[in-house]
């Protein structure tokens, strides 16, 4: 069971993800107001604020919410985070390749799927080289 005051977690670490979420919400307000879309400005902020509120309140009772909040305090949680990240990467690559293929089938250039897929592939190759040398 997870608590808000886990050993090895500083106050700053516990509040980094919620603070970033609220900052993104404020960013949405600025972007959508600049685009003259106050409805989306409010909706964007509310979505982020509700997400942060759920993380903060649920992280006391839910290990998954605590991890989403950034509380990876032990090796087990680090392993879960690595597995979830790898799974997410695999799904994202499938979506990028599917989007690229769909655009080519439609007779289009494949852009922006080609750039996003290239960034993902290049990052993966470089990270593999880096981490294999680093140990």
């Amino acid at each position: 069971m997870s608590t808000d005051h886990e050993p090895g977690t500083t106050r700053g670490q516990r509040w980094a993800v919620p603070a970033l979420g609220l900052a993104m919400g404020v960013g949405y307000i600025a972007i959508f107001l600049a685009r003259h879309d106050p409805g989306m400005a409010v909706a964007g902020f509310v979505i982020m604020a509700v997400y942060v509120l759920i993380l903060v309140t649920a992280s006391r009772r839910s290990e998954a919410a605590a991890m989403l909040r950034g509380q990876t305090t032990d090796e087990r949680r680090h392993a879960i985070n690595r597995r979830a990240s790898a799974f997410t990467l695999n799904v994202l690559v499938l979506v990028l390749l599917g989007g690229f293929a769909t655009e080519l089938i439609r007779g289009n250039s494949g852009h922006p799927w080609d750039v996003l897929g290239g960034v993902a592939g290049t990052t993966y190759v470089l990270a593999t080289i880096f981490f294999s040398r680093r140990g």
Side-chain angles (χ1 to χ4, degrees):
M1 184 80 55
S2 219
T3 66
D4 196 39
H5 303 287
E6 296 196 33
T9 302
T10 66
R11 181 181 213 76
Q13 289 170 320
R14 283 192 305 271
W15 289 101
V17 171
L20 179 61
L22 290 177
M24 289 177 66
V26 170
Y28 290 148
I29 289 172
I31 290 167
F32 287 114
L33 286 180
R35 293 177 55 160
H36 307 290
D37 193 346
M40 283 300 294
V42 171
F45 180 79
V46 167
I47 288 169
M48 293 308 297
V50 168
Y51 176 70
V52 166
L53 181 64
I54 290 169
L55 281 186
V56 170
T57 57
S59 66
R60 294 185 179 116
R61 292 203 168 104
S62 166
E63 183 177 37
M67 290 173 57
L68 289 170
R69 189 176 174 183
Q71 295 174 274
T72 52
T73 54
D74 58 27
E75 192 55 39
R76 179 178 165 278
R77 285 186 177 185
H78 284 286
I80 291 168
N81 188 44
R82 282 191 301 273
R83 288 172 56 200
S85 296
F87 183 81
T88 301
L89 173 66
N90 288 327
V91 170
L92 182 57
V93 166
L94 286 174
V95 169
L96 291 174
L97 292 173
F100 179 67
T102 300
E103 286 301 304
L104 292 178
I105 290 167
R106 290 179 176 168
N108 298 322
S109 70
H111 191 71
W113 302 99
D114 55 351
V115 175
L116 295 171
V119 169
T122 301
T123 302
Y124 183 77
V125 168
L126 293 176
T128 299
I129 292 168
F130 175 80
F131 289 118
S132 69
R133 292 184 179 183
R134 195 164 176 248

